Amino acid sequence: LCFRGARRSSAAGMAQQLPIKFQELLNLPNVGINQQYISFTSLTMESEKYICVREEVNGQVQVVIIDMANPTEPMRKPITAESAIMNPVSKVIALKAGSYLQIFNMEMKSKMKSFQMTDQVVFWKWISTATVALVTGTAVFHWSMEGQSEPVKIFDRHATLADTQIINYKTSEDEKWMVLIGIKSEAGTNRICGAMQLYSKEKNVSQPIEGHAASFAQFTVEGATSPSTIFCFAAKTATGAKMHTIEVSPGAKPEGVAAYGKKNSDIYFPPEAAQDFPVAMQISSKYSVIYMVTKHGYLHVYDLDSNTLIYMNRISAEAIFVTASHEASGGIVGVNRKGQVLCVTLDEANVVPYVCTNLKNFGLALKLAVRNNLPGAEQLFAQQFNNLMNSGDYKGAAKLAAESPQQALRTPETIQRFQQAPSAPGQPSPILTYFGMLLEKGKLNANESIELAKPVIQQGKQALLQKWTSEDKLECTEELGDLVKMVDAQLALSIYLRASASAKVITCFVETGQFDKIMLYCQKVSYTPDWGFLLTNIVRMNPAGALEFAQKLVGAEGVTLDYTVVTDVFMQHNCLQQATSFLLDALKGNKEEEGPLQTRLLEMNLMAAPQVADAIMANDMFSHYDKPRIAMLCEKAGLVQRALEHYENIDDVKRVMMRTEMIQPEALVKFFGTLSVDNAIECLHHLLRTNMRQNLQIVVQVAREYSEQLSPEKLIGMFETYNSWEGLFYYLGAVLLKTEDKTVHFKYIEAASKVGNMQEVERVTREDTFFDPQEVRDFLKEARLPDQRPLINVCDRFDMVEDLTHYLYTNNMSKYIELYVQKVNPMKAPQVAGALLDADCSEDFVRALILSVRAMAPAEQLVEEVEKRNRLKLLQPWLEARVNEGVQEAPVHNALMKIYIDMNNRPDEYLVSNHYYDSKVVGEYCEKRDPQLAFVAYKRGLCDAELIDVTNRHGLFKQQARYLVERQDLELWATVLTADNEHRRQCIDATVQNALPETKNPDVVSTTVKAFMTADLPNELIELLEKIVLQNSEFSDNRNLQNLLILTAIKADKTRVMEYINRLSNYDMPDIANIAVGSELYEEALVIFKKAELHREAAKVLMDYIQSIERAQEFAERVDDEEVWIMLGKAQLAQNMVQECIASFIKASCEKEAVAVIAAAEAAGESKALVEFLTMCRKNTKDAHIDTSLIYAYAKSEMYAELEDFISAPNVGRIQEVAERCYAESMYEAAKIMFNSISNFARLATCL
């Protein structure tokens, strides 16, 4: 692409002098954008960051987003939208489809807002990072993407824009001014007219303006204190083209400062572009210039302040249809129809020379250079400066020098000229005027700051320097700080800080005692001084401050500090305390490589301050120092305990340990925890061997503390070696509760016995559970202690009562036996009594001993012990005493019953009257003596199994049967009625013959019968029932029993059924009869039905089961029952006994079977009998079929007179039908009578 302008001939020479820079940023077709979609309707560019293109690929609509930071990787999204615009700064996209609008956050992949407009949106764009402007056919809306707000109407469109195409909309920075821009073609001339609507939000006023392109700018007018809002627009009318700039919102100005006002200048269009017109305008806030682009690709650059054209040339052969500000360069970026993305900005190096050389506008050149700090006008400034200085206008010269671009005039030479310039009377010196102007305009450079400081210091006005420094008016340097330091150290420090003169800053901190700030400063500026030299300086002035500073250095990041050097610095100045504090802080990490320093720290203090060294070692901070050397120094310093801790050689340890008076017992005990097991045992032996009396207590303490590690076995052996029973007693007393070792517990009992602590022996034997009872028992027997309670405790707890009793009895210690039984454990009285009996002790003593414990002795065990030695009678006094006391324990009463039985002392009476003995136990005892007594005992206790067994074995079946009947237990019955019971027959016989006839309780009988039924014994059941039902008894009329007897006979012995039904009368006859029918006992069922007078059921049995019509006939005649006659008639009809069935139906007066009877009679030719039947039927019902059949029966029987009488009387018969039938069967006489009766003469004639 080349520039085409008025001066093509000088292309090569002028290329270097162009005031602009031109660059093609991107070619859209090269990144896959289809040429046809590079247009105003498909492509949008809201800022220099993103280009958005709406394409259609293979029928699918896509939105292509090009990030200008990475343009070679465009992002394609399948979005069906008519238009898409990207947010100027973020990845937020607004989409429009008709009047439906949406805003999406592409990074969050979420919809932010949506809205349905009522009118079509014809133009839209982002006017800020958070607001979209929407232009409809009638109004302009603003829609914020924040919150849930809807579009807000700003103003209505002016009528002058009604038929225009909206091409742009812009707002001022504060959104108080808006301009809407549209274009249209003028009819007849094809001239493109521009129409704009300028709107003031504050005044709510619109103004129509003819124009094509417009924009707003913030510009500070010369002399003003705040920026003004400038409205710029370009218009090409029928009379010409102009660029207008208007101050619509003035900024704040001091009085006397001129306003911006209104300015305009002509817009030049070359002859070949006569139809060209402005299409876009962007204003650079960086350079305060206006970039205007025309339809034909021309670029116009205007100075915003003066509205002066700086440069114009063609930058594109194709139309540029969209533009945006290029903030990075202060230029303009645009896209043409070929897809070129072009960027144009001012060339800072050439624009001022270009204005001077080509435009000859030196005033504009100066303003551009000053305003934008641009090079190229140095000679102009120098020439003007000389003129002002020569004319004595020092203030103007100072102002010019202060404003010179890139400080072209702010040189040492200029300062020298002002210093040499003469002063006018009553006026400030030129040099002060110059510096004042510089201070007013901004900041002084390094040389200026030094030259200004010199007179100020001479005059003693350091406060001014302080003020200027705080306002950042001076350039702080090391030289300036050195100059100020002579009069104000604190201000000098401030200057050094600003000048980054680190060495001087630290020196000031040291001199002013601000040690805490040195480290902070070094970290902040990443400065590393010579820490050793610095500390040397500080320690001379302030040892405490030096320590604090050194400690901060240790904890600081990025600081490499030699701890040895720091220690040497402190020690060289006899600062042991500071050196110690520093090393304690520096070495707290306890690193192995710091071992020598740890040794040095302890050495210094052991030689000068042993108590400090002791405190350090007490904190256990270090572990890598030279322990043998420190141990030796500790021993010399009298720190015996520390020496002991540090020696490793066992001989050294034993030597030091002998000075126990200088060692705290707790420390010595703790020290033993650091020794190996063998060394610890050796040291304990050494202590006991050298001075047992003095060292026994400490040895016991060590043994207690480390019993588990040193093992009780070794410690016990050690104490026994030196016969130290006292030491062993105290040691084991401390560890007894911590171990379950039987040896330990035994040795404790032994030691307590040896030292004579009987109370402890008694307590341990009473409470302890971990000693070996036999071992302790044997020891206590051999020891023959004066108090036998320990032995009693052991034997009582571990069930060695017999052994204890034998020992005490044989050693004549009867009082201890009584003590044991009466006081210690009366529950063991049975074992004691048994043992005494085994030892042939006097029964009187035993009886007295038992009586002495009274109810405290357990009866069951006592009885058992005495009974198995056959001495039960010995307990009679004790047992009777218990019974008299109201004791209900079964063992007491069991034993007493046994005694009474053996004594034959009214046993029957006691067995019945006593309610507390165990029937099973006593019954078993009685079996061997008297089975009858056993039966009584078992019966009383409901001991079913035992009772059955004893009665079976001794043939007591009557008693057994009575018990079974009274017991009413079906399960018990089942056990005796089972086939496996060899005594079942005897039991049944006794039940039938004796037990049941004796009872009068119906429930008993019922349960017995159920038992026989459950056992499936029908014959035996019949036998049973006959006994209680057929023989006169209270249960002879019992309905259930009669039913059961008959049913059982039906099931088991059918030959007896007839007898039972005849002899019995109080049974359920219908149910029994039906069961008999089911069992094919038809005669029995017949008898029952007859007996019950159930005639119908009896007839049914005769006809359906016995199948005897003759017997049924006889039964019907005997009972003369209508239903029976009907049943008989049906049976006879079924066997084609027509005359007999007719006779039966007539007797029953039943016409229901008329149809069947008619058919059977006609088939059998029994017409006369049929006449009789049908005559009976007509009495009960009137039916056409009956009347018709009766007419035919008369005809068939040749009963013409009866026929003639019947048909002449009222009837419902079908005479014509019967007449035709008779004629067909050649019964003409009958037919003639019927045809005549119905006046059918034609048919009558055929019968003549």
Side-chain angles (χ1 to χ4, degrees):
L1 179 69
C2 65
F3 295 96
R4 290 178 286 276
R7 296 183 177 87
R8 296 188 183 184
S9 60
S10 58
M14 294 299 294
Q16 301 300 322
Q17 299 300 321
L18 290 179
I20 63 170
K21 291 180 180 179
F22 178 85
Q23 181 182 7
E24 180 183 294
L25 301 178
L26 180 66
N27 192 296
L28 294 177
N30 292 345
V31 294
I33 304 300
N34 194 322
Q35 183 73 45
Q36 72 178 97
Y37 297 107
I38 303 176
S39 65
F40 180 77
T41 58
S42 300
L43 186 146
T44 59
M45 182 173 65
E46 300 295 299
S47 69
E48 63 185 301
K49 289 183 176 293
Y50 302 103
I51 296 175
C52 194
V53 184
R54 181 185 180 276
E55 282 190 334
E56 189 172 334
V57 180
N58 298 326
Q60 182 181 9
V61 177
Q62 295 181 347
V63 172
V64 185
I65 301 168
I66 301 170
D67 187 345
M68 293 302 293
N70 187 17
T72 58
E73 296 182 5
M75 181 168 53
R76 294 179 177 269
K77 298 288 185 181
I79 303 174
T80 57
E82 298 175 359
S83 177
I85 52 176
M86 285 292 293
N87 185 279
V89 297
S90 61
K91 287 190 177 181
V92 173
I93 188 170
L95 303 172
K96 176 168 70 73
S99 58
Y100 184 65
L101 312 174
Q102 291 180 311
I103 299 177
F104 281 91
N105 188 318
M106 300 179 68
E107 289 183 325
M108 302 294 292
K109 296 182 179 179
S110 62
K111 181 170 73 173
M112 298 174 63
K113 299 185 76 171
S114 64
F115 188 75
Q116 180 73 50
M117 296 287 289
T118 55
D119 297 328
Q120 187 76 17
V121 177
V122 298
F123 180 82
W124 67 332
K125 71 172 292 181
W126 290 91
I127 57 172
S128 69
T129 59
T131 306
V132 179
L134 310 170
V135 183
T136 67
T138 58
V140 176
F141 298 82
H142 286 184
W143 187 27
S144 174
M145 74 176 185
E146 299 174 350
Q148 300 297 322
S149 61
E150 298 180 355
V152 178
K153 181 179 176 181
I154 304 301
F155 61 88
D156 292 320
R157 284 177 56 171
H158 197 271
T160 56
L161 277 77
D163 55 349
T164 62
Q165 177 189 358
I166 303 301
I167 62 172
N168 215 333
Y169 174 76
K170 292 193 175 183
T171 65
S172 61
E173 185 177 290
D174 56 9
E175 295 189 15
K176 293 182 178 180
W177 290 88
M178 297 87 176
V179 62
L180 181 64
I181 308 166
I183 59 174
K184 63 181 178 180
S185 177
E186 186 178 49
T189 63
N190 290 328
R191 183 175 70 86
I192 303 299
C193 299
M196 299 190 298
Q197 179 182 353
L198 179 64
Y199 175 75
S200 171
K201 186 175 182 180
E202 290 183 332
K203 299 177 180 179
N204 193 23
V205 174
S206 289
Q207 178 182 352
I209 302 173
E210 186 175 3
H212 295 76
S215 190
F216 295 96
Q218 296 296 112
F219 180 73
T220 302
V221 178
E222 185 175 0
T225 57
S226 65
S228 302
T229 300
I230 309 297
F231 174 55
C232 310
F233 69 95
K236 183 179 182 182
T237 65
T239 58
K242 286 188 178 294
M243 171 67 72
H244 299 271
T245 56
I246 304 171
E247 185 181 31
V248 293
S249 292
K253 306 180 184 68
E255 188 175 352
V257 176
Y260 181 88
K262 299 181 180 180
K263 301 176 183 179
N264 64 74
S265 60
D266 293 334
I267 301 175
Y268 171 75
F269 290 97
E272 65 269 21
Q275 299 300 320
D276 199 6
F277 60 91
V279 293
M281 182 183 294
Q282 302 291 340
I283 299 176
S284 171
S285 58
K286 180 178 181 180
Y287 298 121
S288 296
V289 298
I290 303 169
Y291 298 103
M292 186 195 74
V293 178
T294 68
K295 174 70 173 178
H296 290 180
Y298 283 86
L299 172 71
H300 297 245
V301 183
Y302 287 86
D303 174 48
L304 177 61
D305 184 21
S306 62
N307 197 350
T308 302
L309 179 67
I310 297 176
Y311 181 73
M312 186 272 290
N313 208 336
R314 193 171 191 178
I315 60 173
S316 172
E318 300 292 332
I320 297 175
F321 59 87
V322 62
T323 64
S325 293
H326 196 268
E327 302 293 342
S329 65
I332 183 174
V333 60
V335 181
N336 65 15
R337 290 300 302 274
K338 281 189 176 181
Q340 292 175 302
V341 182
L342 308 174
C343 177
V344 179
T345 186
L346 291 184
D347 187 336
E348 293 185 351
N350 294 330
V351 63
V352 173
Y354 178 84
V355 171
C356 292
T357 304
N358 292 55
L359 302 184
K360 305 298 183 181
N361 191 337
F362 301 111
L364 176 60
L366 288 173
K367 284 187 176 182
L368 286 173
V370 172
R371 188 171 69 220
N372 299 312
N373 195 26
L374 300 176
E378 289 82 2
Q379 293 182 356
L380 290 176
F381 277 92
Q383 182 180 353
Q384 190 172 354
F385 175 75
N386 290 329
N387 293 336
L388 291 172
M389 289 295 292
N390 293 333
S391 65
D393 186 0
Y394 300 128
K395 184 175 180 180
K399 183 175 182 297
L400 183 67
E403 294 178 347
S404 62
Q406 300 183 343
Q407 300 187 0
L409 294 176
R410 295 174 63 174
T411 61
E413 291 78 11
T414 299
I415 295 174
Q416 188 176 4
R417 288 193 63 180
F418 275 109
Q419 289 174 337
Q420 296 172 356
S423 300
Q427 297 291 327
S429 65
I431 187 64
L432 292 180
T433 301
Y434 174 62
F435 284 135
M437 185 62 66
L438 291 179
L439 291 171
E440 181 182 343
K441 292 295 182 179
K443 183 177 181 179
L444 276 62
N445 60 31
N447 187 53
E448 293 165 348
S449 299
I450 293 172
E451 294 299 329
L452 174 60
K454 289 177 181 178
V456 171
I457 292 173
Q458 289 175 356
Q459 297 174 17
K461 297 181 178 180
Q462 289 84 6
L464 287 175
L465 290 177
Q466 179 70 42
K467 177 177 179 295
W468 293 332
T469 302
S470 63
E471 293 175 353
D472 198 24
K473 293 290 187 178
L474 304 179
E475 182 175 342
C476 296
T477 60
E478 187 173 343
E479 293 79 5
L480 178 61
D482 293 340
L483 184 65
V484 174
K485 187 177 180 182
M486 295 183 295
V487 294
D488 191 337
Q490 195 64 37
L491 179 58
L493 174 60
S494 176
I495 294 172
Y496 287 141
L497 286 169
R498 287 177 168 82
S500 299
S502 300
K504 295 293 180 69
V505 170
I506 293 174
T507 301
C508 284
F509 280 146
V510 172
E511 292 173 354
T512 57
Q514 302 181 66
F515 307 120
D516 56 333
K517 295 182 179 179
I518 296 176
M519 193 61 244
L520 296 174
Y521 174 76
C522 291
Q523 291 176 338
K524 184 176 181 181
V525 301
S526 301
Y527 177 69
T528 305
D530 183 346
W531 300 114
F533 177 75
L534 183 60
L535 278 171
T536 301
N537 293 334
I538 297 174
V539 78
R540 290 173 183 158
M541 300 170 55
N542 187 348
L547 170 62
E548 182 180 356
F549 182 63
Q551 289 174 334
K552 289 183 178 180
L553 289 178
V554 172
E557 295 182 3
V559 175
T560 303
L561 187 65
D562 189 339
Y563 298 162
T564 303
V565 172
V566 176
T567 305
D568 291 340
V569 169
F570 282 120
M571 294 306 293
Q572 287 167 4
H573 293 83
N574 295 321
C575 296
L576 174 62
Q577 182 179 354
Q578 286 76 13
T580 300
S581 298
F582 168 73
L583 288 176
L584 286 174
D585 187 58
L587 304 179
K588 60 186 177 182
N590 192 23
K591 299 177 182 178
E592 185 176 358
E593 59 271 19
E594 296 170 348
L597 281 173
Q598 294 178 2
T599 304
R600 184 177 180 186
L601 170 63
L602 294 174
E603 280 180 346
M604 293 187 307
N605 285 281
L606 282 170
M607 289 185 287
Q611 297 306 317
V612 175
D614 182 53
I616 294 172
M617 288 184 282
N619 289 329
D620 198 19
M621 295 174 59
F622 308 121
S623 59
H624 301 293
Y625 52 85
D626 187 347
K627 290 182 175 58
R629 174 164 177 75
I630 297 302
M632 180 185 66
L633 292 174
C634 287
E635 189 175 2
K636 290 181 179 179
L639 300 178
V640 177
Q641 179 178 326
R642 300 302 173 194
L644 188 64
E645 293 172 353
H646 288 77
Y647 274 127
E648 296 178 355
N649 185 280
I650 191 63
D651 294 329
D652 294 332
V653 170
K654 289 192 291 184
R655 181 185 72 252
V656 174
M657 191 178 292
M658 290 307 301
R659 300 167 67 181
T660 53
E661 71 282 356
M662 301 181 66
I663 307 174
Q664 292 292 332
E666 295 80 6
L668 185 56
V669 171
K670 185 177 179 181
F671 169 71
F672 268 92
T674 63
L675 297 177
S676 66
V677 173
D678 293 339
N679 287 343
I681 292 294
E682 184 177 348
C683 289
L684 290 176
H685 275 280
H686 182 71
L687 290 174
L688 290 175
R689 184 168 52 249
T690 54
N691 192 341
M692 181 186 297
R693 181 178 297 276
Q694 177 180 332
N695 299 330
L696 180 61
Q697 185 176 357
I698 193 68
V699 170
V700 170
Q701 289 181 355
V702 173
R704 286 177 175 180
E705 185 69 23
Y706 304 108
S707 175
E708 184 176 350
Q709 294 88 335
L710 302 178
S711 81
E713 181 181 358
K714 292 182 179 179
L715 293 171
I716 290 170
M718 177 187 72
F719 284 114
E720 288 181 337
T721 300
Y722 301 101
N723 289 322
S724 180
W725 293 107
E726 183 180 0
L728 182 61
F729 172 73
Y730 287 117
Y731 156 62
L732 294 179
V735 303
L736 192 68
L737 298 178
K738 301 177 183 179
T739 179
E740 298 179 4
D741 189 338
K742 293 183 178 181
T743 302
V744 171
H745 288 257
F746 170 72
K747 287 296 181 180
Y748 180 69
I749 294 171
E750 184 180 6
S753 301
K754 295 289 186 180
V755 299
N757 194 335
M758 292 297 104
Q759 185 177 358
E760 188 66 10
V761 176
E762 192 277 331
R763 183 193 68 80
V764 173
T765 55
R766 174 168 37 85
E767 298 177 358
D768 198 9
T769 57
F770 300 111
F771 56 79
D772 185 342
Q774 294 183 357
E775 184 180 23
V776 173
R777 179 198 62 189
D778 296 341
F779 166 73
L780 292 175
K781 284 182 179 181
E782 295 173 2
R784 292 189 174 275
L785 301 178
D787 188 350
Q788 296 300 317
R789 285 182 297 171
L791 178 61
I792 291 174
N793 291 339
V794 174
C795 294
D796 176 61
R797 291 179 58 205
F798 296 98
D799 199 19
M800 294 184 288
V801 176
E802 294 181 3
D803 192 19
L804 170 66
T805 304
H806 186 267
Y807 172 77
L808 294 176
Y809 182 72
T810 55
N811 287 280
N812 296 319
M813 299 181 184
S814 299
K815 66 174 184 176
Y816 282 105
I817 297 176
E818 294 175 354
L819 172 68
Y820 173 61
V821 172
Q822 295 171 2
K823 303 293 185 182
V824 178
N825 194 350
M827 298 298 291
K828 296 294 185 178
Q831 288 92 320
V832 173
L836 289 174
L837 292 175
D838 291 341
D840 294 330
C841 179
S842 168
E843 285 191 7
D844 294 335
F845 178 77
V846 176
R847 184 181 297 107
L849 184 66
I850 293 173
L851 286 172
S852 68
V853 298
R854 299 176 62 81
M856 292 185 289
E860 185 174 1
Q861 292 88 336
L862 182 59
V863 170
E864 181 181 354
E865 291 293 333
V866 176
E867 185 178 11
K868 67 183 180 181
R869 293 172 173 81
N870 295 320
R871 303 286 186 90
L872 188 59
K873 191 174 181 180
L874 179 145
L875 294 179
Q876 183 176 354
W878 183 83
L879 292 171
E880 290 175 343
R882 301 288 76 72
V883 171
N884 292 332
E885 292 172 359
V887 172
Q888 298 179 2
E889 292 182 54
V892 172
H893 292 271
N894 291 345
L896 197 56
M897 286 297 102
K898 292 177 182 179
I899 293 173
Y900 290 160
I901 290 168
D902 288 340
M903 294 173 60
N904 197 20
N905 183 13
R906 296 179 295 168
D908 299 64
E909 179 182 344
Y910 285 117
L911 288 174
V912 173
S913 61
N914 192 315
H915 301 290
Y916 304 113
Y917 67 88
D918 188 334
S919 297
K920 189 177 293 188
V921 173
V922 176
E924 183 181 357
Y925 186 79
C926 292
E927 281 189 32
K928 301 174 182 178
R929 292 159 176 80
D930 188 347
Q932 186 64 40
L933 293 178
F935 171 77
V936 174
Y938 287 144
K939 179 180 179 181
R940 172 259 183 197
L942 301 180
C943 302
D944 298 333
E946 291 77 6
L947 186 145
I948 298 299
D949 178 62
V950 72
T951 52
N952 282 340
R953 286 190 286 108
H954 296 284
L956 302 176
F957 296 111
K958 289 182 182 181
Q959 290 85 340
Q960 182 185 100
R962 293 188 183 100
Y963 178 77
L964 289 170
V965 170
E966 293 174 5
R967 187 78 170 84
Q968 299 186 59
D969 188 334
L970 291 176
E971 293 183 0
L972 181 58
W973 271 112
T975 61
V976 299
L977 294 180
T978 179
D980 297 334
N981 182 12
E982 58 179 334
H983 304 288
R984 181 173 70 173
R985 185 67 252 178
Q986 294 90 323
C987 178
I988 292 173
D989 292 342
T991 302
V992 173
Q993 300 299 327
N994 302 102
L996 272 183
E998 294 173 358
T999 184
K1000 296 183 179 181
N1001 187 347
D1003 294 334
V1004 169
V1005 176
S1006 177
T1007 303
T1008 306
V1009 171
K1010 288 180 182 177
F1012 275 72
M1013 292 174 63
T1014 304
D1016 194 20
L1017 299 171
N1019 294 321
E1020 289 77 2
L1021 181 59
I1022 291 173
E1023 182 182 350
L1024 174 66
L1025 292 173
E1026 284 183 347
K1027 186 71 174 176
I1028 61 175
V1029 174
L1030 296 183
Q1031 298 181 10
N1032 292 329
S1033 69
E1034 292 189 6
F1035 307 105
S1036 296
D1037 291 332
N1038 188 289
R1039 179 182 294 273
N1040 291 332
L1041 294 178
Q1042 290 188 10
N1043 288 338
L1044 185 58
L1045 177 58
I1046 297 173
L1047 291 174
T1048 306
I1050 291 174
K1051 179 180 179 183
D1053 190 355
K1054 293 181 173 56
T1055 60
R1056 299 187 182 188
V1057 175
M1058 187 62 75
E1059 177 189 355
Y1060 293 157
I1061 61 179
N1062 286 324
R1063 293 183 60 179
L1064 303 175
S1065 58
N1066 191 27
Y1067 55 89
D1068 296 323
M1069 295 184 183
D1071 295 335
I1072 298 296
N1074 287 327
I1075 294 172
V1077 170
S1079 300
E1080 298 183 358
L1081 298 176
Y1082 304 130
E1083 294 295 341
E1084 288 79 355
L1086 179 61
V1087 171
I1088 296 172
F1089 284 133
K1090 286 180 178 180
K1091 195 170 185 177
E1093 295 184 355
L1094 299 174
H1095 305 314
R1096 186 176 178 278
E1097 288 76 3
K1100 181 176 177 65
V1101 171
L1102 285 169
M1103 289 178 276
D1104 292 349
Y1105 299 107
I1106 299 177
Q1107 296 181 355
S1108 174
I1109 299 297
E1110 293 79 5
R1111 293 179 62 182
Q1113 179 79 33
E1114 292 174 1
F1115 180 72
E1117 290 175 353
R1118 182 166 61 84
V1119 299
D1120 195 17
D1121 183 78
E1122 180 181 341
E1123 289 189 4
V1124 175
W1125 282 118
I1126 292 172
M1127 294 173 63
L1128 178 60
K1130 291 180 180 179
Q1132 292 168 336
L1133 179 62
Q1135 295 187 14
N1136 205 22
M1137 300 169 65
V1138 178
Q1139 289 185 358
E1140 290 81 358
C1141 79
I1142 288 175
S1144 298
F1145 284 132
I1146 290 173
K1147 289 179 180 179
S1149 188
C1150 176
E1151 76 283 353
K1152 294 180 181 179
E1153 302 294 329
V1155 176
V1157 172
I1158 292 168
E1162 289 180 353
E1166 297 290 343
S1167 54
K1168 290 183 179 181
L1170 182 59
V1171 168
E1172 185 180 358
F1173 172 73
L1174 293 176
T1175 301
M1176 178 274 297
C1177 291
R1178 286 195 83 243
K1179 294 177 182 179
N1180 298 328
T1181 183
K1182 289 186 178 182
D1183 182 76
H1185 183 62
I1186 292 175
D1187 285 1
T1188 303
S1189 299
L1190 182 54
I1191 294 170
Y1192 179 74
Y1194 278 134
K1196 193 72 173 175
S1197 302
E1198 298 181 356
M1199 299 171 68
Y1200 302 129
E1202 290 82 356
L1203 172 61
E1204 191 170 352
D1205 292 339
F1206 180 79
I1207 61 177
S1208 62
N1211 67 85
V1212 292
R1214 296 184 291 274
I1215 301 173
Q1216 176 71 30
E1217 177 184 327
V1218 178
E1220 292 292 345
R1221 181 179 178 187
C1222 290
Y1223 182 83
E1225 294 179 4
S1226 302
M1227 293 188 293
Y1228 302 117
E1229 185 63 29
K1232 181 174 67 172
I1233 293 171
M1234 285 183 274
F1235 284 137
N1236 183 49
S1237 68
I1238 60 174
S1239 301
N1240 189 343
F1241 302 113
R1243 292 297 292 161
L1244 178 60
T1246 60
C1247 298
L1248 295 177

